[in-house]
Amino acid sequence: MDLIEILKAIFLGIVEGITEWLPISSTGHMLLVDEFLTLNMSDSFKEMFFVVIQLGAILAVVVFFWKKMIPIQLEDRSKPLIKMDTISMWLKVVVACIPGAIVTLLFDDYIEAHLHTAPVIAAMLIVYGVAFIVIETWNKHQVPTVPRLEDITYRTAFIIGLFQVLSIIPGTSRSGATIVGALLIGVSRVAAAEFTFFLAVPVMFGLSAIKLLKFGFSFTGPELLVLGAGTLVAFLTSVVVIKFLMGYIRKHDFKVFGWYRIALGVIVLLVTLL
Protein backbone atom coordinates (compact mmCIF):
# COMPACT_ATOMS: atom_id res chain seq x y z
CA MET A 1 0.00 0.00 0.00
CA ASP A 2 1.39 3.37 -1.03
CA LEU A 3 1.89 5.60 2.02
CA ILE A 4 1.08 8.60 -0.17
CA GLU A 5 -2.55 7.42 -0.52
CA ILE A 6 -2.87 7.18 3.29
CA LEU A 7 -1.50 10.71 3.64
CA LYS A 8 -4.00 11.93 1.03
CA ALA A 9 -6.83 10.28 3.00
CA ILE A 10 -5.61 11.93 6.20
CA PHE A 11 -5.56 15.33 4.51
CA LEU A 12 -9.07 14.76 3.12
CA GLY A 13 -10.18 13.75 6.62
CA ILE A 14 -8.91 17.06 7.98
CA VAL A 15 -10.72 18.95 5.20
CA GLU A 16 -13.92 17.01 5.91
CA GLY A 17 -13.70 17.54 9.69
CA ILE A 18 -13.29 21.30 9.24
CA THR A 19 -15.78 21.90 6.44
CA GLU A 20 -18.61 19.54 7.50
CA TRP A 21 -19.73 21.83 10.31
CA LEU A 22 -18.70 25.22 9.02
CA PRO A 23 -21.28 26.33 6.42
CA ILE A 24 -18.80 26.24 3.53
CA SER A 25 -19.57 22.86 1.85
CA SER A 26 -17.56 19.79 2.82
CA THR A 27 -18.34 17.84 -0.37
CA GLY A 28 -17.46 20.86 -2.50
CA HIS A 29 -14.12 21.26 -0.75
CA MET A 30 -13.26 17.56 -1.01
CA LEU A 31 -14.13 17.45 -4.71
CA LEU A 32 -11.98 20.53 -5.29
CA VAL A 33 -9.09 19.06 -3.27
CA ASP A 34 -9.39 15.85 -5.29
CA GLU A 35 -8.82 17.88 -8.46
CA PHE A 36 -5.31 18.71 -7.22
CA LEU A 37 -4.61 15.83 -4.80
CA THR A 38 -6.29 12.90 -6.51
CA LEU A 39 -6.74 9.62 -4.68
CA ASN A 40 -5.33 6.81 -6.77
CA MET A 41 -8.47 4.73 -6.33
CA SER A 42 -11.37 3.67 -8.53
CA ASP A 43 -14.09 6.19 -9.32
CA SER A 44 -16.68 4.03 -7.54
CA PHE A 45 -14.56 3.92 -4.38
CA LYS A 46 -14.01 7.68 -4.39
CA GLU A 47 -17.73 8.35 -4.87
CA MET A 48 -18.39 6.23 -1.78
CA PHE A 49 -15.39 7.60 0.17
CA PHE A 50 -16.46 11.25 -0.12
CA VAL A 51 -19.77 10.39 1.57
CA VAL A 52 -18.83 7.67 4.07
CA ILE A 53 -15.88 9.66 5.41
CA GLN A 54 -18.49 12.05 6.78
CA LEU A 55 -19.58 9.37 9.26
CA GLY A 56 -16.48 10.23 11.26
CA ALA A 57 -17.68 13.81 11.52
CA ILE A 58 -21.18 12.63 12.48
CA LEU A 59 -19.82 10.45 15.29
CA ALA A 60 -18.12 13.55 16.68
CA VAL A 61 -21.53 15.23 16.92
CA VAL A 62 -22.98 12.23 18.73
CA VAL A 63 -20.13 12.35 21.25
CA PHE A 64 -20.35 16.13 21.68
CA PHE A 65 -24.15 16.26 22.10
CA TRP A 66 -24.63 12.83 23.69
CA LYS A 67 -26.70 14.10 26.63
CA LYS A 68 -29.03 16.06 24.36
CA MET A 69 -29.38 13.32 21.77
CA ILE A 70 -29.97 10.21 23.86
CA PRO A 71 -33.68 9.85 24.80
CA ILE A 72 -33.01 7.93 28.02
CA GLN A 73 -32.38 9.59 31.39
CA LEU A 74 -29.27 8.01 32.90
CA GLU A 75 -28.20 10.49 35.57
CA ASP A 76 -31.13 11.72 37.66
CA ARG A 77 -33.23 8.74 38.78
CA SER A 78 -35.84 11.09 40.27
CA LYS A 79 -36.84 12.11 36.72
CA PRO A 80 -38.73 9.93 34.17
CA LEU A 81 -36.57 7.33 32.43
CA ILE A 82 -37.71 8.43 28.96
CA LYS A 83 -36.99 12.03 27.91
CA MET A 84 -40.08 12.96 25.92
CA ASP A 85 -38.64 16.29 24.80
CA THR A 86 -35.70 14.46 23.18
CA ILE A 87 -38.03 11.97 21.47
CA SER A 88 -40.10 14.93 20.22
CA MET A 89 -36.95 16.52 18.80
CA TRP A 90 -36.00 13.32 16.95
CA LEU A 91 -39.52 13.14 15.49
CA LYS A 92 -39.05 16.70 14.22
CA VAL A 93 -35.75 15.62 12.69
CA VAL A 94 -37.55 12.77 10.89
CA VAL A 95 -40.06 15.28 9.51
CA ALA A 96 -37.19 17.51 8.33
CA CYS A 97 -35.50 14.55 6.62
CA ILE A 98 -38.48 13.60 4.43
CA PRO A 99 -38.01 16.17 1.60
CA GLY A 100 -34.28 15.49 1.29
CA ALA A 101 -34.73 11.72 1.33
CA ILE A 102 -37.26 11.85 -1.54
CA VAL A 103 -35.14 14.17 -3.69
CA THR A 104 -31.92 12.21 -3.05
CA LEU A 105 -33.50 8.89 -4.04
CA LEU A 106 -34.92 10.42 -7.22
CA PHE A 107 -32.03 12.58 -8.42
CA ASP A 108 -28.77 11.44 -6.74
CA ASP A 109 -27.45 9.57 -9.79
CA TYR A 110 -28.21 12.48 -12.13
CA ILE A 111 -26.47 14.99 -9.85
CA GLU A 112 -23.44 12.71 -9.45
CA ALA A 113 -23.15 12.48 -13.23
CA HIS A 114 -23.82 16.08 -14.25
CA LEU A 115 -23.34 18.56 -11.40
CA HIS A 116 -20.12 17.48 -9.68
CA THR A 117 -18.11 20.06 -11.59
CA ALA A 118 -15.91 22.97 -10.54
CA PRO A 119 -18.13 25.68 -12.13
CA VAL A 120 -21.24 24.39 -10.32
CA ILE A 121 -19.38 24.22 -7.00
CA ALA A 122 -17.99 27.73 -7.52
CA ALA A 123 -21.43 29.14 -8.37
CA MET A 124 -23.04 27.61 -5.27
CA LEU A 125 -20.20 28.82 -3.05
CA ILE A 126 -20.78 32.38 -4.27
CA VAL A 127 -24.61 32.29 -4.22
CA TYR A 128 -24.84 31.07 -0.64
CA GLY A 129 -21.97 33.30 0.43
CA VAL A 130 -24.01 36.29 -0.72
CA ALA A 131 -27.09 34.80 0.99
CA PHE A 132 -25.30 34.59 4.35
CA ILE A 133 -24.16 38.21 4.16
CA VAL A 134 -27.59 39.52 3.10
CA ILE A 135 -29.51 37.49 5.69
CA GLU A 136 -27.16 38.34 8.55
CA THR A 137 -27.32 42.03 7.63
CA TRP A 138 -31.12 41.87 7.62
CA ASN A 139 -31.13 39.88 10.89
CA LYS A 140 -28.86 42.32 12.69
CA HIS A 141 -31.70 44.15 14.43
CA GLN A 142 -34.20 41.27 14.45
CA VAL A 143 -35.14 39.30 17.56
CA PRO A 144 -35.31 35.52 16.85
CA THR A 145 -38.83 34.12 17.17
CA VAL A 146 -37.34 30.66 17.84
CA PRO A 147 -34.54 31.28 20.36
CA ARG A 148 -33.94 27.71 21.61
CA LEU A 149 -33.68 24.25 20.06
CA GLU A 150 -36.69 23.18 22.14
CA ASP A 151 -38.82 25.92 20.55
CA ILE A 152 -38.58 24.46 17.03
CA THR A 153 -42.00 23.19 15.94
CA TYR A 154 -42.84 20.44 13.43
CA ARG A 155 -43.76 23.11 10.88
CA THR A 156 -40.42 24.88 11.38
CA ALA A 157 -38.57 21.56 11.13
CA PHE A 158 -40.29 20.74 7.83
CA ILE A 159 -39.44 24.15 6.36
CA ILE A 160 -35.79 23.69 7.37
CA GLY A 161 -35.95 20.26 5.69
CA LEU A 162 -37.11 21.91 2.47
CA PHE A 163 -34.06 24.16 2.54
CA GLN A 164 -31.86 21.12 3.15
CA VAL A 165 -32.96 19.76 -0.23
CA LEU A 166 -30.86 22.51 -1.83
CA SER A 167 -27.71 20.92 -0.40
CA ILE A 168 -27.91 18.03 -2.86
CA ILE A 169 -26.15 20.38 -5.33
CA PRO A 170 -22.35 20.27 -4.68
CA GLY A 171 -20.93 23.46 -3.23
CA THR A 172 -24.14 24.38 -1.41
CA SER A 173 -23.32 22.90 2.03
CA ARG A 174 -25.86 20.88 3.97
CA SER A 175 -25.25 22.88 7.13
CA GLY A 176 -25.19 26.09 5.08
CA ALA A 177 -28.56 25.42 3.44
CA THR A 178 -30.27 24.46 6.70
CA ILE A 179 -28.79 27.38 8.64
CA VAL A 180 -29.76 29.89 5.91
CA GLY A 181 -33.29 28.49 5.93
CA ALA A 182 -33.51 28.53 9.72
CA LEU A 183 -32.26 32.11 9.98
CA LEU A 184 -34.77 33.24 7.33
CA ILE A 185 -37.71 31.93 9.38
CA GLY A 186 -36.55 33.42 12.68
CA VAL A 187 -34.51 30.66 14.32
CA SER A 188 -31.54 31.87 16.39
CA ARG A 189 -28.00 31.03 15.26
CA VAL A 190 -27.36 28.64 18.16
CA ALA A 191 -30.68 26.81 17.72
CA ALA A 192 -30.14 26.63 13.95
CA ALA A 193 -26.67 25.13 14.40
CA GLU A 194 -27.84 22.61 17.01
CA PHE A 195 -30.78 21.48 14.87
CA THR A 196 -28.38 21.12 11.93
CA PHE A 197 -26.25 18.81 14.08
CA PHE A 198 -29.28 16.69 14.98
CA LEU A 199 -30.39 16.61 11.36
CA ALA A 200 -26.96 15.51 10.16
CA VAL A 201 -27.05 12.20 12.05
CA PRO A 202 -29.85 10.36 10.18
CA VAL A 203 -29.10 12.16 6.90
CA MET A 204 -25.46 11.10 6.77
CA PHE A 205 -26.12 7.57 8.05
CA GLY A 206 -28.76 7.21 5.32
CA LEU A 207 -26.53 8.62 2.55
CA SER A 208 -23.62 6.45 3.70
CA ALA A 209 -25.82 3.35 3.65
CA ILE A 210 -26.91 4.16 0.07
CA LYS A 211 -23.30 4.65 -1.08
CA LEU A 212 -22.06 1.49 0.68
CA LEU A 213 -24.83 -0.59 -0.85
CA LYS A 214 -24.07 0.85 -4.28
CA PHE A 215 -20.33 0.18 -3.87
CA GLY A 216 -20.75 -3.23 -2.24
CA PHE A 217 -18.81 -4.57 0.74
CA SER A 218 -15.91 -6.22 -1.09
CA PHE A 219 -13.18 -3.83 0.08
CA THR A 220 -9.54 -4.50 -0.65
CA GLY A 221 -7.00 -4.05 2.15
CA PRO A 222 -5.73 -0.69 0.79
CA GLU A 223 -9.30 0.58 0.40
CA LEU A 224 -10.11 -0.24 4.03
CA LEU A 225 -6.95 1.53 5.21
CA VAL A 226 -7.74 4.66 3.20
CA LEU A 227 -11.38 4.74 4.32
CA GLY A 228 -10.46 4.07 7.96
CA ALA A 229 -7.73 6.72 8.05
CA GLY A 230 -9.94 9.38 6.48
CA THR A 231 -12.90 8.61 8.77
CA LEU A 232 -10.81 8.60 11.97
CA VAL A 233 -9.12 11.90 11.15
CA ALA A 234 -12.50 13.44 10.21
CA PHE A 235 -13.82 12.43 13.65
CA LEU A 236 -10.89 13.90 15.58
CA THR A 237 -10.91 17.13 13.57
CA SER A 238 -14.69 17.51 13.94
CA VAL A 239 -14.51 17.35 17.74
CA VAL A 240 -12.29 20.45 17.73
CA VAL A 241 -14.30 22.29 15.05
CA ILE A 242 -17.71 21.74 16.70
CA LYS A 243 -16.42 23.10 20.00
CA PHE A 244 -15.01 26.15 18.18
CA LEU A 245 -18.19 26.78 16.17
CA MET A 246 -20.56 26.66 19.15
CA GLY A 247 -18.40 29.18 20.99
CA TYR A 248 -18.01 31.38 17.91
CA ILE A 249 -21.68 31.79 16.98
CA ARG A 250 -22.66 32.83 20.50
CA LYS A 251 -20.71 36.06 19.91
CA HIS A 252 -20.46 36.43 16.13
CA ASP A 253 -22.60 36.07 13.01
CA PHE A 254 -22.00 33.97 9.88
CA LYS A 255 -20.82 36.79 7.60
CA VAL A 256 -17.18 35.71 7.71
CA PHE A 257 -18.19 32.35 6.21
CA GLY A 258 -20.14 34.20 3.51
CA TRP A 259 -17.08 36.24 2.51
CA TYR A 260 -14.93 33.08 2.55
CA ARG A 261 -17.38 31.28 0.25
CA ILE A 262 -17.41 34.19 -2.21
CA ALA A 263 -13.61 34.44 -2.27
CA LEU A 264 -13.16 30.70 -2.77
CA GLY A 265 -15.86 30.59 -5.45
CA VAL A 266 -14.20 33.40 -7.40
CA ILE A 267 -10.79 31.68 -7.16
CA VAL A 268 -12.27 28.39 -8.39
CA LEU A 269 -13.93 30.13 -11.34
CA LEU A 270 -10.71 31.91 -12.29
CA VAL A 271 -8.67 28.70 -12.07
CA THR A 272 -11.30 26.87 -14.14
CA LEU A 273 -11.34 29.56 -16.83
CA LEU A 274 -7.58 29.84 -17.00
Side-chain angles (χ1 to χ4, degrees), residues 163-192:
F163 276 93
Q164 184 183 235
V165 170
L166 300 171
S167 68
I168 194 171
I169 302 174
T172 298
S173 169
R174 184 192 51 75
S175 61
T178 53
I179 289 172
V180 162
L183 292 176
L184 273 174
I185 59 176
V187 181
S188 71
R189 293 187 196 96
V190 173

Short mmCIF file of all heavy atoms in Angstrom, two decimals, residues 163-192:
data_model
loop_
_atom_site.label_atom_id
_atom_site.label_comp_id
_atom_site.label_asym_id
_atom_site.label_seq_id
_atom_site.Cartn_x
_atom_site.Cartn_y
_atom_site.Cartn_z
N PHE A 163 -35.30 23.47 2.88
CA PHE A 163 -34.06 24.16 2.54
C PHE A 163 -32.90 23.17 2.41
O PHE A 163 -32.00 23.36 1.58
CB PHE A 163 -33.73 25.21 3.59
CG PHE A 163 -34.43 26.52 3.39
CD1 PHE A 163 -35.64 26.78 4.01
CD2 PHE A 163 -33.91 27.49 2.54
CE1 PHE A 163 -36.30 27.98 3.82
CE2 PHE A 163 -34.56 28.69 2.33
CZ PHE A 163 -35.77 28.94 2.98
N GLN A 164 -32.93 22.11 3.22
CA GLN A 164 -31.86 21.12 3.15
C GLN A 164 -31.80 20.44 1.79
O GLN A 164 -30.73 20.01 1.34
CB GLN A 164 -32.03 20.06 4.24
CG GLN A 164 -30.88 19.07 4.26
CD GLN A 164 -31.07 17.97 5.28
OE1 GLN A 164 -30.22 17.74 6.13
NE2 GLN A 164 -32.18 17.27 5.22
N VAL A 165 -32.93 20.35 1.11
CA VAL A 165 -32.96 19.76 -0.23
C VAL A 165 -31.96 20.44 -1.16
O VAL A 165 -31.34 19.80 -2.02
CB VAL A 165 -34.38 19.85 -0.82
CG1 VAL A 165 -34.38 19.45 -2.29
CG2 VAL A 165 -35.35 18.96 -0.04
N LEU A 166 -31.77 21.75 -0.97
CA LEU A 166 -30.86 22.51 -1.83
C LEU A 166 -29.43 21.99 -1.75
O LEU A 166 -28.64 22.15 -2.68
CB LEU A 166 -30.89 23.99 -1.44
CG LEU A 166 -32.26 24.69 -1.56
CD1 LEU A 166 -32.18 26.09 -0.95
CD2 LEU A 166 -32.70 24.76 -3.01
N SER A 167 -29.09 21.35 -0.61
CA SER A 167 -27.71 20.92 -0.40
C SER A 167 -27.32 19.73 -1.25
O SER A 167 -26.15 19.32 -1.26
CB SER A 167 -27.47 20.59 1.08
OG SER A 167 -28.20 19.42 1.46
N ILE A 168 -28.26 19.15 -1.98
CA ILE A 168 -27.91 18.03 -2.86
C ILE A 168 -27.00 18.50 -4.00
O ILE A 168 -26.27 17.72 -4.59
CB ILE A 168 -29.19 17.35 -3.41
CG1 ILE A 168 -28.84 15.99 -4.04
CG2 ILE A 168 -29.89 18.23 -4.41
CD1 ILE A 168 -30.05 15.17 -4.40
N ILE A 169 -27.03 19.81 -4.30
CA ILE A 169 -26.15 20.38 -5.33
C ILE A 169 -24.77 20.64 -4.72
O ILE A 169 -24.66 21.34 -3.71
CB ILE A 169 -26.73 21.68 -5.89
CG1 ILE A 169 -28.12 21.45 -6.47
CG2 ILE A 169 -25.81 22.27 -6.96
CD1 ILE A 169 -28.82 22.70 -6.91
N PRO A 170 -23.70 20.09 -5.24
CA PRO A 170 -22.35 20.27 -4.68
C PRO A 170 -21.98 21.75 -4.57
O PRO A 170 -22.28 22.55 -5.45
CB PRO A 170 -21.45 19.56 -5.69
CG PRO A 170 -22.33 18.59 -6.39
CD PRO A 170 -23.68 19.23 -6.45
N GLY A 171 -21.33 22.09 -3.46
CA GLY A 171 -20.93 23.46 -3.23
C GLY A 171 -21.91 24.25 -2.40
O GLY A 171 -21.62 25.35 -1.94
N THR A 172 -23.11 23.68 -2.19
CA THR A 172 -24.14 24.38 -1.41
C THR A 172 -23.83 24.34 0.08
O THR A 172 -23.87 25.36 0.76
CB THR A 172 -25.52 23.76 -1.68
OG1 THR A 172 -25.84 23.92 -3.06
CG2 THR A 172 -26.58 24.44 -0.84
N SER A 173 -23.54 23.17 0.61
CA SER A 173 -23.32 22.90 2.03
C SER A 173 -24.63 22.55 2.71
O SER A 173 -25.57 23.34 2.74
CB SER A 173 -22.67 24.07 2.75
OG SER A 173 -22.70 23.88 4.17
N ARG A 174 -24.67 21.33 3.24
CA ARG A 174 -25.86 20.88 3.97
C ARG A 174 -26.12 21.78 5.17
O ARG A 174 -27.23 22.26 5.39
CB ARG A 174 -25.70 19.42 4.42
CG ARG A 174 -26.93 18.83 5.11
CD ARG A 174 -26.58 17.51 5.76
NE ARG A 174 -25.39 17.66 6.59
CZ ARG A 174 -25.37 18.26 7.77
NH1 ARG A 174 -26.47 18.80 8.27
NH2 ARG A 174 -24.26 18.35 8.46
N SER A 175 -25.07 22.01 5.97
CA SER A 175 -25.25 22.88 7.13
C SER A 175 -25.56 24.31 6.69
O SER A 175 -26.36 25.01 7.31
CB SER A 175 -24.00 22.85 8.02
OG SER A 175 -22.87 23.32 7.33
N GLY A 176 -24.94 24.75 5.58
CA GLY A 176 -25.19 26.09 5.08
C GLY A 176 -26.63 26.29 4.66
O GLY A 176 -27.27 27.29 5.00
N ALA A 177 -27.18 25.31 3.92
CA ALA A 177 -28.56 25.42 3.44
C ALA A 177 -29.55 25.42 4.61
O ALA A 177 -30.50 26.21 4.64
CB ALA A 177 -28.88 24.28 2.49
N THR A 178 -29.33 24.53 5.58
CA THR A 178 -30.27 24.46 6.70
C THR A 178 -30.16 25.69 7.60
O THR A 178 -31.18 26.18 8.10
CB THR A 178 -30.02 23.19 7.54
OG1 THR A 178 -28.64 23.12 7.92
CG2 THR A 178 -30.36 21.94 6.75
N ILE A 179 -28.95 26.20 7.79
CA ILE A 179 -28.79 27.38 8.64
C ILE A 179 -29.38 28.62 7.96
O ILE A 179 -30.07 29.42 8.60
CB ILE A 179 -27.30 27.61 8.99
CG1 ILE A 179 -26.83 26.53 9.98
CG2 ILE A 179 -27.08 29.00 9.60
CD1 ILE A 179 -25.33 26.54 10.24
N VAL A 180 -29.15 28.77 6.66
CA VAL A 180 -29.76 29.89 5.91
C VAL A 180 -31.28 29.83 6.04
O VAL A 180 -31.94 30.83 6.33
CB VAL A 180 -29.34 29.85 4.43
CG1 VAL A 180 -30.28 30.70 3.58
CG2 VAL A 180 -27.91 30.37 4.26
N GLY A 181 -31.85 28.64 5.83
CA GLY A 181 -33.29 28.49 5.93
C GLY A 181 -33.80 28.79 7.33
O GLY A 181 -34.82 29.47 7.50
N ALA A 182 -33.09 28.30 8.33
CA ALA A 182 -33.51 28.53 9.72
C ALA A 182 -33.45 30.01 10.09
O ALA A 182 -34.37 30.54 10.73
CB ALA A 182 -32.63 27.71 10.66
N LEU A 183 -32.38 30.68 9.69
CA LEU A 183 -32.26 32.11 9.98
C LEU A 183 -33.37 32.91 9.31
O LEU A 183 -33.93 33.85 9.89
CB LEU A 183 -30.90 32.63 9.52
CG LEU A 183 -29.66 32.13 10.27
CD1 LEU A 183 -28.39 32.66 9.62
CD2 LEU A 183 -29.69 32.53 11.74
N LEU A 184 -33.73 32.53 8.08
CA LEU A 184 -34.77 33.24 7.33
C LEU A 184 -36.13 33.18 8.03
O LEU A 184 -36.92 34.12 7.93
CB LEU A 184 -34.90 32.66 5.92
CG LEU A 184 -33.98 33.23 4.85
CD1 LEU A 184 -34.13 32.45 3.56
CD2 LEU A 184 -34.27 34.71 4.62
N ILE A 185 -36.40 32.08 8.74
CA ILE A 185 -37.71 31.93 9.38
C ILE A 185 -37.66 32.24 10.87
O ILE A 185 -38.57 31.89 11.61
CB ILE A 185 -38.30 30.53 9.14
CG1 ILE A 185 -37.37 29.44 9.67
CG2 ILE A 185 -38.60 30.32 7.66
CD1 ILE A 185 -37.94 28.03 9.54
N GLY A 186 -36.58 32.90 11.32
CA GLY A 186 -36.55 33.42 12.68
C GLY A 186 -35.92 32.55 13.74
O GLY A 186 -36.06 32.83 14.94
N VAL A 187 -35.20 31.52 13.34
CA VAL A 187 -34.51 30.66 14.32
C VAL A 187 -33.17 31.32 14.68
O VAL A 187 -32.48 31.86 13.82
CB VAL A 187 -34.27 29.26 13.74
CG1 VAL A 187 -33.57 28.35 14.76
CG2 VAL A 187 -35.60 28.63 13.31
N SER A 188 -32.81 31.27 15.96
CA SER A 188 -31.54 31.87 16.39
C SER A 188 -30.36 31.08 15.83
O SER A 188 -30.51 29.92 15.44
CB SER A 188 -31.45 31.88 17.91
OG SER A 188 -31.28 30.57 18.43
N ARG A 189 -29.18 31.70 15.80
CA ARG A 189 -28.00 31.03 15.26
C ARG A 189 -27.67 29.75 16.03
O ARG A 189 -27.37 28.71 15.43
CB ARG A 189 -26.79 31.96 15.31
CG ARG A 189 -26.89 33.16 14.40
CD ARG A 189 -25.59 33.95 14.36
NE ARG A 189 -25.82 35.27 13.78
CZ ARG A 189 -26.03 36.35 14.50
NH1 ARG A 189 -26.03 36.27 15.81
NH2 ARG A 189 -26.25 37.51 13.91
N VAL A 190 -27.71 29.81 17.35
CA VAL A 190 -27.36 28.64 18.16
C VAL A 190 -28.36 27.51 17.93
O VAL A 190 -27.98 26.35 17.73
CB VAL A 190 -27.29 29.01 19.66
CG1 VAL A 190 -27.11 27.76 20.51
CG2 VAL A 190 -26.14 29.99 19.91
N ALA A 191 -29.66 27.83 17.95
CA ALA A 191 -30.68 26.81 17.72
C ALA A 191 -30.58 26.23 16.32
O ALA A 191 -30.74 25.02 16.11
CB ALA A 191 -32.07 27.39 17.96
N ALA A 192 -30.29 27.09 15.33
CA ALA A 192 -30.14 26.63 13.95
C ALA A 192 -28.97 25.66 13.83
O ALA A 192 -29.08 24.61 13.18
CB ALA A 192 -29.93 27.82 13.02
#
